[in-house]
Amino acid sequence: MRPVTRNTLLGIIAVVVLLLALGALPGLLKSGDPYYAVATPTDGEYSVDNGTAINWSSQSERRFPYTSEALADASPSATGQSEPYWRGPLGFKGAFTHSPFDERDALSQQYDGAVTDDGVVVRHNGTFYHVAVRQDV
């Protein structure tokens, strides 16, 4: 094999390994502050201007894993929370991983009628929940 070909292949392999590491490594880093998606039964506490709440039965658990986990953990009388998401100190991690902040922003853009000051109102199994991202539960 010619030296130029060998060096080119080694360079391509190094780039592929680096990109794989960037994709996997941020998810393993548990530095920074933990944040949770928290689902709180509303009891009329949070009202939406036009009365529209997000019907959670029409949403995908794969697209919104943090929110789905918080709603699955909640009950009409108890608050539910997701697994923690550690936000990295430099913002590097957020560019490569899915976060509860991404879910909140996506739901806020899709369902602007369900937006509150710090989250969204969701209807799940006949109960209305206020779902927000919080640092401490």
Side-chain angles (χ1 to χ4, degrees):
M1 181 181 302
R2 298 172 114 189
V4 173
T5 306
R6 181 182 46 126
N7 290 342
T8 302
L9 284 175
L10 289 175
I12 290 172
I13 290 171
V15 168
V16 168
V17 168
L18 180 66
L19 289 174
L20 287 173
L22 285 175
L25 183 62
L28 299 175
L29 295 176
K30 297 197 190 284
S31 62
D33 301 323
Y35 288 85
Y36 304 87
V38 179
T40 307
T42 62
D43 296 331
E45 182 179 338
Y46 291 95
S47 62
V48 181
D49 293 339
N50 64 2
T52 305
I54 300 169
N55 182 5
W56 198 252
S57 64
S58 65
Q59 301 301 317
S60 169
E61 291 182 14
R62 292 182 57 139
R63 183 169 181 200
F64 302 105
Y66 290 101
T67 305
S68 295
E69 186 177 358
L71 288 168
D73 189 43
S75 70
S77 60
T79 299
Q81 74 178 30
S82 68
E83 290 292 319
Y85 168 80
W86 282 272
R87 182 181 242 182
L90 301 175
F92 171 76
K93 181 179 179 180
F96 294 97
T97 59
H98 180 76
S99 73
F101 301 102
D102 297 331
E103 293 182 13
R104 182 195 59 198
D105 294 342
L107 290 170
S108 297
Q109 289 175 358
Q110 291 177 359
Y111 303 97
D112 59 346
V115 175
T116 63
D117 291 338
D118 62 345
V120 292
V121 176
V122 174
R123 187 177 76 238
H124 179 63
N125 292 336
T127 305
F128 289 88
Y129 295 95
H130 178 257
V131 179
V133 179
R134 298 224 167 78
Q135 190 168 3
D136 46 6
V137 184

